[in-house]
Amino acid sequence: MFNSITWGQYFSAIILLLIIYYILIGFWFYKWEILRIIGIRKVDDASLNTTAALSNLKEFAASENHENYLPKPSLEIDISPLVQSFTDEVTAFVQGADKSEITKEEIINSLQAICTKYPAIKNADCRKDLEVDVLKEINLKYPTLFQQNDFKNLWN
């Protein structure tokens, strides 16, 4: 009987049986720890208590504020980078406009095109100040060509 198996087969069988034994003992005693490593968690019986959940739900419904569902007022947005970019673009346009003869209508159309790139400035508080700055910038190159009322349709 001892001559029918080799030592290698004997040790292989013993190692296989030990692995199966430790796996069974591990799952028997450490089932939740092993499942937690995989990502499965045990639900506590206390968390399944429906009366506590219902009381929490009543508190949540009672403390609910209807103003949370209304649209929020717009926050103050810092448009100073837009204003700086706008004034830089107008300055660059005016400086580049002296290379060729340009008419009043072409200047207004170009300024309207620049203004359409900055829709946030259209409703800003500093819009009138920007119009005055644009007027000063253009009047430096083309004196008395424009008046303040020429810029009424600039932002449309």
Side-chain angles (χ1 to χ4, degrees):
M1 174 170 120
F2 289 112
N3 294 335
S4 64
I5 61 169
T6 64
W7 282 105
Q9 291 173 340
Y10 173 75
F11 287 125
S12 300
I14 293 296
I15 290 173
L16 179 67
L17 288 174
L18 280 174
I19 291 172
I20 292 172
Y21 172 77
Y22 281 113
I23 289 174
L24 288 175
I25 294 299
F27 274 119
W28 187 281
F29 291 107
Y30 302 104
K31 177 174 39 177
W32 292 112
E33 287 81 5
I34 293 171
L35 290 175
R36 189 178 321 132
I37 292 171
I38 297 171
I40 300 172
R41 302 214 185 274
K42 184 177 180 181
V43 177
D44 294 329
D45 292 334
S47 66
L48 296 176
N49 189 358
T50 57
T51 57
L54 288 177
S55 66
N56 289 339
L57 181 64
K58 288 178 184 176
E59 290 174 13
F60 175 73
S63 66
E64 190 172 280
N65 190 359
H66 295 290
E67 292 177 3
N68 293 340
Y69 299 105
L70 296 175
K72 305 283 188 270
S74 62
L75 301 173
E76 288 292 325
I77 299 172
D78 184 22
I79 61 169
S80 60
L82 286 175
V83 171
Q84 183 65 40
S85 177
F86 174 76
T87 55
D88 289 345
E89 194 165 347
V90 168
T91 304
F93 165 71
V94 171
Q95 289 176 356
D98 64 344
K99 295 179 181 172
S100 63
E101 285 297 319
I102 190 166
T103 63
K104 184 176 181 177
E105 291 78 24
E106 290 174 344
I107 293 174
I108 293 220
N109 289 338
S110 298
L111 289 175
Q112 284 177 340
I114 292 172
C115 291
T116 57
K117 293 180 188 178
Y118 302 96
I121 299 176
K122 180 178 182 178
N123 298 324
D125 296 336
C126 61
R127 180 178 150 187
K128 296 293 182 188
D129 296 330
L130 286 174
E131 289 176 2
V132 170
D133 290 342
V134 169
L135 179 66
K136 287 179 185 177
E137 187 73 32
I138 291 176
N139 281 338
L140 287 175
K141 288 286 183 182
Y142 305 103
T144 66
L145 183 63
F146 287 99
Q147 300 300 323
Q148 184 67 29
N149 58 1
D150 291 333
F151 294 126
K152 291 192 188 282
N153 296 328
L154 190 64
W155 298 96
N156 293 336

